[in-house]
Amino acid sequence: MSDKQPEGAGESGEFEQPSIPDEVWERFARDTERDIRGSAPKEPSARARMVTERLRQKDAQGAQPEGWRTGPAWREMNGRATRRRRLWAILGVPVAIAVALVAVKPSLLPGDPFGTSSGTSSGGAAAATLPAETAAPTAAPSSAPPDTPTLDRPFAGSPAERWADGAAAIDVPKATSIGTFTRAQVATALKQAKALLVGANLNPGTLRGERPESVLALLDPKQPRMLDDANSWLRAPGKKHDPLTLFSRFDPGEVRPAGDVVKVRGRMTFKAGAHASVAIHMDYTFVYPLIQADQASGASGATETPGASNEGSGGGSTEVARTIVRRVLDLELLDPRKYQATPGKLSILRYEQDFGNTACDVYDGFLHPHFDSSTPTGAPPTGPTTDPYDRSRDLQHSGTETCGTVSRT
């Protein structure tokens, strides 16, 4: 057993208390005094006493400060906000996809609240206009909801109610250079083709039987017989030389337009022709709403035909009839350096037409629509029943020489 004393022990074997420097004791005393003063209760200020007294009185009356005690703790509120953000993060993608789908196809919503279906809304307002036709249709348009045309809605009950109006419906395709023709030359030819179609089927003067000078000015006088034939049709209409072959015309003494809108649908295309030319193809249907001339003076909203008499019974009937005309035209712009052609003039290679709701075997150069309240004019129809709105039919092989009946107008 060792008799060695532990390090730091005295002679008695007990540990000696180490001495503490005076400066350490002084610092300890100062810190302790400061802490005691800081923790000692302080006399509240006058404002603090006033606020405390007001709160005590409200507590005694059962009132609680707004936004205090009655609301959730801030930690709870923060927790809810976090959960809300997480919830929106989870739902955000499906909701965004659903909104995008409805924007592209509103009819997906129950009841079609935006009125984009093929019919009309419950309030009778017209549905949205169809997009432009970009390819040949493969079937007839679906039937519109049954409705009676009026002066306010002359296209009611017709697929044409969703078609575009007038010349704005004839879209000119973007031009490109073809063969020896520059893009600018092709663009000019396409604009002339539209002008020809508008002048022959939409110009108010042409519709009331006036001479279509603007159309005749576009035709190439060097094309054999075409211009001469058109002039002879206009001078002396008949079965073998009918101006309706190229022009839509109505007798102003018989009918007047019901409003100032003609509905139009179709397409225009172009390509390189077989004769080093620009070949332009047009296929358009025109829907004309009409009112009987002797009713126009008493029918509010009927459009007056400029320069025509408005005499008649003025019975005030608002009956509206529609005549439908479809035209297929093939035009050609020839290179005058290679062919006998006039620069900037168009040649007509093909013209086909189909008329819906006009008298049979009447060749006076006018279309004669039938009104339900009137006695039919012309010969009884002998041909098949056709749908004048069916733009998928090939007119070249449809037997348009016969006069048949229409399934709808």
Side-chain angles (χ1 to χ4, degrees):
M1 183 173 180
S2 175
D3 59 354
K4 186 177 180 178
Q5 295 291 329
E7 186 178 36
E11 295 180 355
S12 61
E14 296 180 353
F15 287 95
E16 296 179 354
Q17 183 70 26
S19 62
I20 299 175
D22 293 339
E23 62 269 21
V24 174
W25 279 110
E26 290 177 1
R27 186 166 61 252
F28 173 78
R30 286 197 303 269
D31 292 342
T32 303
E33 183 180 2
R34 185 180 64 250
D35 292 340
I36 292 173
R37 285 199 302 269
S39 60
K42 297 180 181 180
E43 179 70 15
S45 65
R47 176 172 178 79
R49 290 195 300 271
M50 180 179 66
V51 172
T52 302
E53 179 61 22
R54 184 164 59 246
L55 292 176
R56 187 189 63 76
Q57 293 175 359
K58 287 187 177 182
D59 283 343
Q61 298 171 0
Q64 292 179 333
E66 184 178 358
W68 182 61
R69 295 185 182 177
T70 58
W74 69 270
R75 288 187 178 87
E76 184 182 355
M77 293 176 63
N78 186 60
R80 291 180 183 177
T82 302
R83 288 194 296 273
R84 241 182 254 122
R85 287 194 294 270
R86 290 174 181 171
L87 180 61
W88 277 114
I90 295 172
L91 296 179
V93 174
V95 169
I97 294 174
V99 170
L101 287 175
V102 170
V104 173
K105 191 174 183 181
S107 59
L108 291 174
L109 290 178
D112 194 16
F114 300 113
T116 55
S117 64
S118 59
T120 57
S121 65
S122 58
T129 302
L130 289 174
E133 186 177 286
T134 57
T138 57
S142 58
S143 298
D147 209 343
T148 301
T150 64
L151 291 174
D152 291 332
R153 290 181 59 210
F155 301 98
S158 159
E161 190 166 34
R162 298 188 64 202
W163 293 5
D165 298 350
I170 304 175
D171 291 333
V172 176
K174 184 178 180 180
T176 59
S177 58
I178 290 183
T180 60
F181 295 95
T182 66
R183 182 174 62 179
Q185 290 174 315
V186 174
T188 299
L190 294 173
K191 292 178 182 177
Q192 289 176 328
K194 175 176 179 175
L196 186 151
L197 201 65
V198 170
N201 299 279
L202 295 173
N203 181 275
T206 302
L207 294 180
R208 60 176 174 258
E210 296 177 6
R211 182 178 170 83
E213 296 289 356
S214 63
V215 178
L216 299 175
L218 295 171
L219 301 181
D220 191 344
K222 293 184 179 181
Q223 181 183 7
R225 299 184 56 184
M226 187 68 248
L227 190 57
D228 291 338
D229 285 348
N231 280 312
S232 66
W233 299 340
L234 292 165
R235 283 194 306 267
K239 184 174 183 178
K240 298 297 183 181
H241 35 90
D242 193 345
L244 296 177
T245 301
L246 288 179
F247 311 108
S248 297
R249 307 166 84 235
F250 297 91
D251 184 353
E254 179 186 355
V255 295
R256 309 286 176 87
D260 56 0
V261 174
V262 175
K263 291 290 187 176
V264 183
R265 186 155 183 81
R267 65 194 182 282
M268 179 192 305
T269 58
F270 71 98
K271 63 180 182 179
H275 306 99
S277 62
V278 178
I280 303 172
H281 176 78
M282 297 189 293
D283 184 344
Y284 283 89
T285 299
F286 304 85
V287 183
Y288 303 94
L290 304 152
I291 187 171
Q292 296 179 72
D294 61 355
Q295 298 171 353
S297 61
S300 174
T303 300
E304 296 293 331
T305 304
S309 171
N310 194 32
E311 296 177 359
S313 62
S317 173
T318 58
E319 182 181 9
V320 175
R322 292 186 290 253
T323 290
I324 302 97
V325 176
R326 181 182 171 194
R327 297 194 181 278
V328 177
L329 287 171
D330 285 331
L331 309 178
E332 190 175 45
L333 177 66
L334 291 168
D335 187 345
R337 294 172 296 181
K338 299 180 179 180
Y339 297 94
Q340 290 187 356
T342 304
K345 299 293 183 179
L346 299 174
S347 299
I348 299 180
L349 301 184
R350 173 195 172 198
Y351 45 90
E352 303 283 348
Q353 59 282 327
D354 183 66
F355 307 126
N357 189 25
T358 186
C360 295
D361 297 334
V362 178
Y363 303 103
D364 59 356
F366 296 111
L367 294 163
H368 298 277
H370 170 67
F371 292 81
D372 291 338
S373 63
S374 303
T375 303
T377 58
T382 58
T385 298
T386 59
D387 182 357
Y389 292 99
D390 184 1
R391 293 185 36 75
S392 65
R393 291 187 297 127
D394 184 359
L395 296 188
Q396 197 168 13
H397 306 289
S398 62
T400 54
E401 293 299 321
T402 60
C403 184
T405 58
V406 292
S407 61
R408 56 180 172 174
T409 63

